[in-house]
Amino acid sequence: MASVLGRYGRKWSLGCVSYHKNHLPRFSTVTHSAVPSEPIQQQQAGRSMNLYSAINQALHIALESDSRSYVFGEDVGFGGVFRCTTGLAERFGKHRVFNTPLCEQGIVGFAIGLAAMDNRAVAEIQFADYIFPAFDQIVNEAAKFRYRSGGQFNCGGLTIRAPYGAVGHGGHYHSQSPEAFFCHVPGIKVVIPRSPSQAKGLLLSSIRDQNPVVFFEPKWLYRLSVEEVPEHDYMLPLSEAEVIREGSDITLVGWGAQLSIMEQACIDAEKEGISCELIDLKTLIPWDKETVEASVSKTGRLLVSHEAPITGGFGAEISASIVERCFLRLEAPVSRVCGLDTPFPLVFEPFYMPNKNKVSRKYWFPKICVTTWCSSASWQLVFG
Amino acid sequence: MAFRVITMKSGAMMATARYLTRRNMTHGGSCCGNHHHHHPPFERKKQQSCSRSLSGFWRFNSTKASAVDVYSSDEDVTNTNHHQGLDFPGGHVSYTHSLNFISKSSTQNRVPCYRVLDDNGVVIRSSSGDLESQLQQQPLISQQTALKIYREMVRLQVMDTIFYEAQRQGRLSFYLTSTGEEAISVASAAALSSDDVVMPQYREPGVLLWRGFSLREFADQCFGNKDDYGKGRQMPIHYGSNKLNYFTVSSPLAFEEACMTQLLLCLNSYLQGDFHAGLNFAAVTESPVVFVCRNNGWAISTNVSEQFRSDGIVVKGQAYGIDSIRVDGNDALAVYNSIRAARQMAVNQGKPVLVEFLTYRVGHHSTSDDSTKYRPMDEIEHWKVTRNPVSRFRKWVEGNGWWNEDEESELRSATRKQLLQAIQAAERTEKPFLEEMFTDVYDETPSNLREQQEQLREIIKRHPKDYPSDIPV
């Protein structure tokens, strides 16, 4: 993993996550919680932990705070293939934390049934690549459960967790980023954390949210991303994007593991005198258009980056929405730096990935150049 | 409209078919019948101890295969001692030297069908000492319950006729009848308690009728007016009532099952993948769910022979480790008894049960279908007249002196009148506010939907004539 890390330049250092100094979490989507939530800056002392440990801690807290919550999926009993469910079965019992048959359709269908009976069901899909057998359940049942019943029924207690994204050697079926499929479904929420402390707060919010949530965890960061995570029960608001780095020349929007790449690019750009504003979207639907719009109104440029293939990716939605809203403020076309339109390849992964060396698409735009991702040696942004 | 629906053949299953030989399920093992084992005298291997977790997952302390002794030459080759065997994950299993395949069920060997009343509404007397005759020794059902079942079956019949006519007159966009299957939904509901949660397919409004859903409430949903609990979002017949523990009907026929602590009755498509997932999950999690299958012979135009080659649905229960039964779905008493028994098993033993009701879909699939295009008229007539579940049950209640012709005509005309009134009232009631299109997508309306609503209202303001006038803006 270290060699892969060195190869691809993915590094995650402590403290690179920074909070906007005026940022206070608002909990508009949370209608109940066992423990009053507090602003994350006023946290109790944290402990250094990685992503899977933070998620594990969130699950412990979720199960402890609500006796009607359940965690299940393939292999969760012994701790899970990524160790996210370690210790849960021993602590809460096999009637609350248990293995399921190897059937994603059944896992999600079962979870919907549990949630429909006012329980909190946290279903794990072992890899996001395997979520597709459950797609009908998610789209036609979970997403429409409340709406079709006129509000008489709901499966708001449903949370589906799945590891997503590149891992260095995953190939077609252990690397996919399928978030775009789900962003097209009214009625569910899609949440993607970038770091351990974010993951814990966002997962607890997702579990306690009154709507079905699909929670994608960047598997690359399970071990690699380490930071101080507060040990208490806290939640982070859904549908609120966060400006994690302030800047004035260009806005970059991303989520999950891709933010660490973009963070590096921002640091490199700064050396060239380009000031980048970096936004973590966190919730992809419903997404926080206002924050992105405010930022692009300030900077005049937008670049969206995600691992998923570029065509039909969620970057297209962000681009279209921002062009509609900020057209007259834009000084350059919106740029997307994404995965290629191929199935996720194995040996070609370094070429497929939208890493910081990638060159963006070239526009014909007369006097104004696009943002280019150049080699690590230089960064060019030409203003028209 | 393209519903994905079950297609099952009514078939010519006869009650005289004998049971399939029940597989000899030994502890953690199974063996095939009809062949000879060639076993040496061999001390039965000490039973593997296993620990059973709360989730029912079997773990074995050892899965080592036992050593095989050389057998003596005067061994009786027809010795069917099955003690010699192998341990694999999943349990102890006897082995065999015979290359025999388990044969699929044949038409001569089908699971028989439980019934109480014959086609003339007379209780069948059996001289054998089987379960059926035991049940007949006691009163099958109280007069009060029987009459209520009968009345609701009649009301369902009348409701179907009137609503169907209303659709043909253009007053409703769509309707779907339960004609020929009235006994299943009504008598099943009678055998349940009102707390039991029902997850229906779409041909079970009898459950709602039994539980007290009013004709006006049915009409409100069909007309999608502001009193519709579904707020006008779904097509007619997509009823739902949390008050009556009846999950809202959805078209795609997917399963969500399992509340692990509460009885759930599931009626749904049995050929979708999630039927298999649902049954398997229910078995593994030991959920108290009664799975009910209305095997009515048809899925729109596709009949059962084009849907599966197994002996109906009942055999699939066994495949998933679920007790199951096949019942005459046109016999209200058999429906009542079987659901009552199934419920008891599910609740007392904490496990799923599968009930397959054999029946026939007399009506068209829906108002969008003309079934005479794919099946003969005389077949439909036969089932409508000779095998009608309502008239069959009527004969029985009349035979007991609990019902007569006058009461019959009174009930039918009263119900018809109430329905016409309900339809008129529901039709006149205004539709839900436009705002209701945007609520309940989430628990709270997000900003993108608030924005879209504003934009929509602006357009409506500019072009009011292009939009239905009966939706208040």
Side-chain angles (χ1 to χ4, degrees):
Chain A
M1 190 63 91
S3 61
V4 164
L5 186 65
R7 221 161 123 201
Y8 297 145
R10 282 180 186 266
K11 279 183 189 155
W12 191 265
S13 53
L14 279 172
C16 78
V17 170
S18 64
Y19 298 100
H20 190 284
K21 60 182 177 189
N22 291 325
H23 172 77
L24 283 176
R26 280 159 284 150
F27 301 90
S28 55
T29 59
V30 175
T31 54
H32 71 267
S33 63
V35 174
S37 39
E38 26 182 300
I40 202 164
Q41 291 93 326
Q42 293 149 29
Q43 60 205 4
Q44 298 164 14
R47 185 163 63 87
S48 175
M49 65 175 79
N50 61 24
L51 183 67
Y52 79 71
S53 300
I55 287 168
N56 183 247
Q57 207 175 73
L59 293 173
H60 273 273
I61 291 171
L63 287 171
E64 188 181 25
S65 57
D66 185 350
S67 59
R68 295 192 66 174
S69 51
Y70 301 85
V71 171
F72 47 89
E74 293 154 24
D75 303 299
V76 304
F78 85 105
V81 294
F82 290 112
R83 319 303 304 141
C84 292
T85 50
T86 310
L88 292 175
E90 289 87 338
R91 184 170 166 204
F92 297 102
K94 292 205 166 76
H95 63 293
R96 289 183 69 194
V97 180
F98 49 90
N99 293 338
T100 58
L102 207 167
C103 175
E104 285 74 20
Q105 179 180 49
I107 292 169
V108 173
F110 176 86
I112 293 171
L114 263 182
M117 304 296 290
D118 292 329
N119 300 291
R120 303 228 158 263
V122 185
E124 177 177 304
I125 300 294
Q126 197 158 80
F127 284 87
D129 314 59
Y130 311 148
I131 202 168
F132 300 107
F135 200 63
D136 177 57
Q137 287 286 339
I138 295 169
V139 171
N140 278 328
E141 304 299 318
K144 297 171 174 62
F145 216 86
R146 185 192 293 274
Y147 192 78
R148 72 186 184 201
S149 71
Q152 293 187 90
F153 299 102
N154 72 78
C155 60
L158 171 66
T159 304
I160 300 167
R161 297 177 37 244
Y164 89 98
V167 73
H169 50 273
H172 297 350
Y173 302 114
H174 300 84
S175 316
Q176 289 182 47
S177 299
E179 69 272 6
F181 295 107
F182 299 93
C183 291
H184 197 55
V185 184
I188 57 170
K189 297 191 176 183
V190 176
V191 178
I192 305 182
R194 68 173 185 268
S195 75
S197 63
Q198 290 290 310
K200 179 177 168 180
L202 288 171
L203 182 56
L204 281 167
S205 288
S206 299
I207 290 171
R208 292 162 176 168
D209 193 78
Q210 297 287 50
N211 302 284
V213 177
V214 180
F215 190 84
F216 288 117
E217 299 163 359
K219 67 173 86 68
W220 185 286
L221 302 183
Y222 272 145
R223 289 175 197 272
L224 283 179
S225 176
V226 180
E227 65 175 351
E228 289 276 306
V229 178
E231 300 232 66
H232 66 284
D233 183 345
Y234 67 92
M235 291 187 282
L236 293 172
L238 302 185
S239 295
E240 285 191 21
E242 184 185 348
V243 178
I244 60 177
R245 186 190 178 90
E246 282 189 30
S248 55
D249 295 331
I250 181 169
T251 302
L252 284 78
V253 175
W255 51 86
Q258 192 62 11
L259 283 166
S260 64
I261 304 297
M262 298 163 87
E263 178 97 7
Q264 284 302 308
C266 293
I267 291 169
D268 289 352
E270 191 151 30
K271 294 175 192 149
E272 308 275 334
I274 297 161
S275 163
C276 300
E277 182 144 294
L278 182 58
I279 297 179
D280 177 6
L281 208 57
K282 298 205 225 185
T283 301
L284 270 59
I285 54 159
W287 68 283
D288 183 0
K289 290 189 177 98
E290 286 74 23
T291 299
V292 180
E293 185 184 348
S295 173
V296 176
S297 296
K298 181 174 73 167
T299 63
R301 286 171 181 77
L302 174 64
L303 183 144
V304 185
S305 186
H306 56 68
E307 283 179 27
I310 187 167
T311 299
F314 196 62
E317 153 65 22
I318 299 173
S319 172
S321 287
I322 293 302
V323 167
E324 279 171 357
R325 289 159 170 266
C326 303
F327 183 72
L328 295 175
R329 309 295 298 261
L330 283 170
E331 297 182 21
V334 174
S335 180
R336 294 176 295 160
V337 181
C338 305
L340 303 176
D341 288 333
T342 70
F344 201 103
L346 183 65
V347 301
F348 306 110
E349 178 170 331
F351 303 93
Y352 171 94
M353 289 294 286
N355 61 21
K356 67 171 186 168
N357 298 333
K358 213 147 214 189
V359 178
S360 73
R361 293 176 306 142
K362 294 183 177 62
Y363 285 119
W364 54 267
F365 210 98
K367 289 175 187 174
I368 300 169
C369 275
V370 300
T371 308
T372 55
W373 297 78
C374 296
S375 66
S376 54
S378 68
W379 233 92
Q380 274 183 358
L381 183 65
V382 178
F383 294 82
Chain B
M1 37 231 115
F3 288 113
R4 282 177 275 157
V5 297
I6 58 173
T7 297
M8 297 179 198
K9 190 175 190 175
S10 61
M13 57 292 293
M14 290 290 115
T16 52
R18 62 182 172 86
Y19 283 98
L20 279 170
T21 304
R22 192 163 175 81
R23 297 285 181 253
N24 179 19
M25 299 298 288
T26 59
H27 171 78
S30 62
C31 69
C32 308
N34 305 323
H35 55 263
H36 303 299
H37 289 242
H38 192 98
H39 289 290
F42 184 80
E43 194 172 322
R44 186 188 175 104
K45 189 178 187 336
K46 184 184 166 193
Q47 197 66 274
Q48 296 295 329
S49 60
C50 51
S51 63
R52 181 172 179 162
S53 68
L54 289 173
S55 67
F57 178 74
W58 294 87
R59 291 199 191 85
F60 291 87
N61 294 331
S62 164
T63 55
K64 287 183 188 167
S66 51
V68 178
D69 287 344
V70 176
Y71 46 83
S72 57
S73 56
D74 57 356
E75 170 69 19
D76 178 5
V77 297
T78 61
N79 185 346
T80 55
N81 181 353
H82 297 306
H83 292 319
Q84 188 172 0
L86 298 166
D87 289 302
F88 281 108
H92 186 82
V93 59
S94 305
Y95 67 79
T96 172
H97 302 287
S98 306
L99 190 63
N100 274 357
F101 288 78
I102 305 171
S103 57
K104 68 175 178 62
S105 50
S106 69
T107 48
Q108 281 79 44
N109 208 18
R110 301 193 59 185
V111 172
C113 184
Y114 169 70
R115 61 167 17 188
V116 175
L117 296 176
D118 65 14
D119 284 335
N120 296 316
V122 177
V123 170
I124 300 167
R125 297 286 167 206
S126 167
S127 54
S128 68
D130 63 14
L131 179 63
E132 186 180 76
S133 57
Q134 286 169 28
L135 281 170
Q136 286 155 19
Q137 304 312 315
Q138 300 137 31
L140 292 159
I141 200 171
S142 72
Q143 175 179 351
Q144 193 186 10
T145 306
L147 279 179
K148 186 173 179 201
I149 290 176
Y150 181 69
R151 282 199 190 95
E152 299 304 344
M153 284 168 66
V154 169
R155 291 175 81 224
L156 177 54
Q157 251 190 354
V158 179
M159 181 173 98
D160 277 346
T161 311
I162 306 284
F163 276 133
Y164 194 90
E165 281 172 17
Q167 194 278 339
R168 282 290 179 252
Q169 293 164 14
R171 295 160 83 183
L172 281 183
S173 60
F174 174 84
Y175 192 72
L176 187 154
T177 66
S178 307
T179 313
E181 302 180 54
E182 294 88 347
I184 292 174
S185 52
V186 176
S188 293
L192 298 173
S193 91
S194 55
D195 290 337
D196 295 331
V197 177
V198 173
M199 176 152 282
Q201 188 187 23
Y202 46 63
R203 227 180 276 279
E204 300 85 20
V207 174
L208 280 173
L209 270 172
W210 176 270
R211 290 186 170 182
F213 209 60
S214 71
L215 298 177
R216 178 64 197 273
E217 285 171 310
F218 281 110
D220 285 335
Q221 195 284 325
C222 287
F223 283 94
N225 62 32
K226 69 170 177 50
D227 296 329
D228 167 26
Y229 300 130
K231 297 177 188 167
R233 292 160 183 163
Q234 290 216 82
M235 288 166 64
I237 68 95
H238 289 68
Y239 316 111
S241 168
N242 59 353
K243 197 173 56 182
L244 302 179
N245 293 315
Y246 187 90
F247 273 109
T248 305
V249 173
S250 76
S251 305
L253 310 179
F255 261 115
E256 295 95 34
E257 54 79 25
C259 164
M260 292 185 287
T261 58
Q262 193 162 350
L263 180 66
L264 188 64
L265 184 78
C266 269
L267 303 104
N268 228 312
S269 167
Y270 285 75
L271 278 311
Q272 289 291 344
D274 41 15
F275 157 71
H276 300 277
L279 246 68
N280 195 41
F281 267 72
V284 168
T285 58
E286 297 167 6
S287 303
V289 180
V290 178
F291 292 94
V292 176
C293 168
R294 285 180 300 98
N295 183 344
N296 65 11
W298 297 94
I300 308 187
S301 70
T302 313
N303 81 9
V304 290
S305 64
E306 292 173 307
Q307 279 281 348
F308 51 77
R309 291 302 163 92
S310 58
D311 175 16
I313 301 305
V314 66
V315 293
K316 298 186 203 278
Q318 185 182 34
Y320 289 109
I322 290 176
D323 291 344
S324 33
I325 188 170
R326 165 172 283 159
V327 180
D328 180 350
N330 287 4
D331 176 351
L333 292 184
V335 171
Y336 180 85
N337 283 357
S338 57
I339 293 294
R340 196 157 167 212
R343 183 191 185 281
Q344 229 162 1
M345 283 164 66
V347 169
N348 294 346
Q349 299 173 45
K351 66 181 191 188
V353 182
L354 172 65
V355 182
E356 179 188 22
F357 289 124
L358 298 183
T359 181
Y360 187 88
R361 193 198 76 211
V362 172
H364 305 305
H365 165 68
S366 72
T367 49
S368 308
D369 177 47
D370 173 11
S371 61
T372 58
K373 288 202 162 72
Y374 50 81
R375 58 184 184 176
M377 277 294 301
D378 54 2
E379 179 184 306
I380 304 172
E381 276 306 299
H382 167 74
W383 283 93
K384 190 173 179 176
V385 174
T386 320
R387 311 286 294 270
N388 186 318
V390 182
S391 50
R392 186 168 162 196
F393 195 49
R394 176 180 171 179
K395 285 172 188 160
W396 185 72
V397 293
E398 278 182 344
N400 288 342
W402 300 340
W403 192 253
N404 59 51
E405 183 66 43
D406 291 336
E407 285 171 297
E408 176 84 14
S409 52
E410 215 212 290
L411 175 63
R412 286 187 184 267
S413 64
T415 307
R416 189 183 168 86
K417 196 167 158 199
Q418 286 160 16
L419 268 160
L420 291 170
Q421 282 169 355
I423 287 176
Q424 277 172 18
E427 207 170 18
R428 277 198 302 263
T429 306
E430 57 179 13
K431 298 285 188 251
F433 279 93
L434 179 70
E435 182 188 33
E436 298 291 10
M437 180 165 72
F438 297 97
T439 54
D440 297 327
V441 180
Y442 298 95
D443 62 330
E444 292 168 4
T445 309
S447 59
N448 61 322
L449 287 182
R450 286 199 297 271
E451 221 177 79
Q452 287 169 23
Q453 198 184 152
E454 278 166 31
Q455 289 165 2
L456 178 61
R457 284 178 191 283
E458 273 176 49
I459 293 174
I460 294 170
K461 228 189 250 175
R462 275 190 233 138
H463 308 277
K465 292 196 180 112
D466 291 345
Y467 293 93
S469 53
D470 58 350
I471 310 263
V473 176

